[in-house]
Amino acid sequence: MVSMTAGGTLTQRRLLPSRFLIYAVAVVLAVLFGLPLLWAALSSLKTFRELYIFPPTWFPEAPQWVNYRDAWTSAPFGRFFINSTTVTLLSVVGTLLSSSFVGYGFARFRFPGRGILFLIVLSTLILPHQVTVIPRFLLYREFGWLDTLLPLWVPWFFGGSAFGIFLFRQFFLTIPNDLDQSARIDGAGFLTIFVRILMPLSQSVTVSLAILTFLASWNELFWPIIVLNTYEKYTLALGLQYFRTLATAGGELREHLLMAGAMMMTSVVLVVFIALQRYFTQGIVLSGLKG
């Protein structure tokens, strides 16, 4: 017993240098990736003059909290925020519904061509986003959806994302079929099994996909630029670009207000990710346990 304890203590001592190195590298990388965010946050509290002094300073002479109020009132950020929130929430709901249904079908049902269809779904991951821009633009023009928010969230209800389908399919494969068989014996149908058994067990994957979809929709800029023309319908990402034109109008530069607007947009992402990061990492790990 003493020898085992001594051996375990010796092993732990040998592992200490490697653990210290891992933690040191993690801390250095965290600092490097966090510095731009810290600089943006501090710059949003500076005056315009302080942004361009040389040598640059990290901290403002006097925090200008009024920058956030001025940024909010200088452009219709309230309307931009509502538009982004609407599009993002609908996109998340559409992705979770469609991806989970399709992933359930690939994981539980046996039908001819299932493997080929799943391979086709995965192959769309390597298709460049720009390739589908013109066909989608022409399609939505025929629908009369241009300059509306519909093209930004409706497609998520029809297939969601290939990556989301992959996540749900991989996770459902880790759940034993015995649960389904037991429920079938008790008279449950496929929809009941999906809603009352599989989905409650897939909380971590659901949250992970919700976070990824939230980030993609909240930060989307390329597609809104193409389909939206009226600034009252802009999302926050596009609204910041619109604010840049206002910031230089009449020769008045207001980059400090632009930085405040960017921080307001980024703060939402940080809050969501920090609140749900435990489920995010767990869902990514569990989704790859079985092929």
Side-chain angles (χ1 to χ4, degrees):
M1 184 69 180
V2 176
S3 61
M4 292 178 61
T5 304
T9 304
L10 181 61
T11 303
Q12 292 179 355
R13 290 179 179 177
R14 291 177 178 177
L15 291 177
L16 283 178
S18 60
R19 290 181 178 178
F20 176 78
L21 179 61
I22 293 175
Y23 286 128
V25 172
V27 170
V28 171
L29 291 178
V31 171
L32 290 177
F33 283 102
L35 282 178
L37 180 62
L38 178 61
W39 175 263
L42 294 175
S43 297
S44 66
L45 299 176
K46 295 179 180 180
T47 63
F48 172 75
R49 181 186 61 82
E50 290 179 281
L51 287 179
Y52 290 94
I53 62 175
F54 187 84
T57 58
W58 276 92
F59 299 95
E61 296 178 359
Q64 302 294 317
W65 297 103
V66 70
N67 289 347
Y68 286 87
R69 185 201 64 187
D70 293 342
W72 186 269
T73 57
S74 297
F77 271 101
R79 171 53 56 184
F80 299 159
F81 183 84
I82 293 175
N83 293 340
S84 285
T85 302
T86 301
V87 170
T88 301
L89 292 180
L90 290 174
S91 299
V92 170
V93 172
T95 300
L96 295 180
L97 288 176
S98 56
S99 296
S100 59
F101 270 118
V102 178
Y104 174 61
F106 279 123
R108 285 296 193 259
F109 295 97
R110 301 293 185 268
F111 52 89
R114 185 184 68 160
I116 297 177
L117 287 177
F118 185 65
L119 182 62
I120 293 175
V121 170
L122 291 183
S123 65
T124 60
L125 291 173
I126 63 176
L127 187 66
H129 178 65
Q130 292 77 9
V131 172
T132 61
V133 169
I134 295 178
R136 286 189 296 161
F137 178 84
L138 296 177
L139 177 65
Y140 297 140
R141 186 184 64 179
E142 294 298 324
F143 289 168
W145 288 3
L146 295 183
D147 201 24
T148 68
L149 298 179
L150 293 176
L152 302 181
W153 62 267
V154 170
W156 294 101
F157 281 85
F158 295 90
S161 66
F163 183 70
I165 294 172
F166 171 79
L167 282 181
F168 274 107
R169 185 248 186 192
Q170 294 299 104
F171 182 79
F172 289 152
L173 287 177
T174 65
I175 301 177
N177 285 322
D178 296 341
L179 293 177
D180 299 46
Q181 297 300 329
S182 299
R184 293 293 302 277
I185 293 175
D186 293 336
F190 292 111
L191 185 60
T192 303
I193 294 173
F194 171 74
V195 174
R196 303 188 63 180
I197 298 179
L198 295 183
M199 287 306 296
L201 294 175
S202 60
Q203 180 184 20
S204 57
V205 176
T206 302
V207 174
S208 300
L209 183 59
I211 292 176
L212 293 175
T213 306
F214 177 89
L215 294 176
S217 180
W218 187 265
N219 297 322
E220 178 65 37
L221 174 63
F222 180 74
W223 186 234
I225 287 179
I226 295 177
V227 299
L228 298 179
N229 298 319
T230 307
Y231 78 88
E232 290 88 355
K233 300 175 183 177
Y234 285 176
T235 58
L236 272 175
L238 187 55
L240 286 178
Q241 296 297 317
Y242 168 76
F243 185 76
R244 291 184 63 183
T245 62
L246 295 180
T248 57
E252 182 183 1
L253 298 177
R254 296 183 291 179
E255 275 78 2
H256 56 305
L257 300 185
L258 179 63
M259 197 69 69
M263 287 306 303
M264 287 189 290
M265 178 180 176
T266 307
S267 61
V268 177
V269 177
L270 292 176
V271 170
V272 170
F273 184 79
I274 292 175
L276 303 175
Q277 63 175 334
R278 179 169 62 91
Y279 299 98
F280 176 75
T281 54
Q282 183 181 5
I284 294 297
V285 171
L286 292 178
S287 62
L289 290 180
K290 185 173 182 180

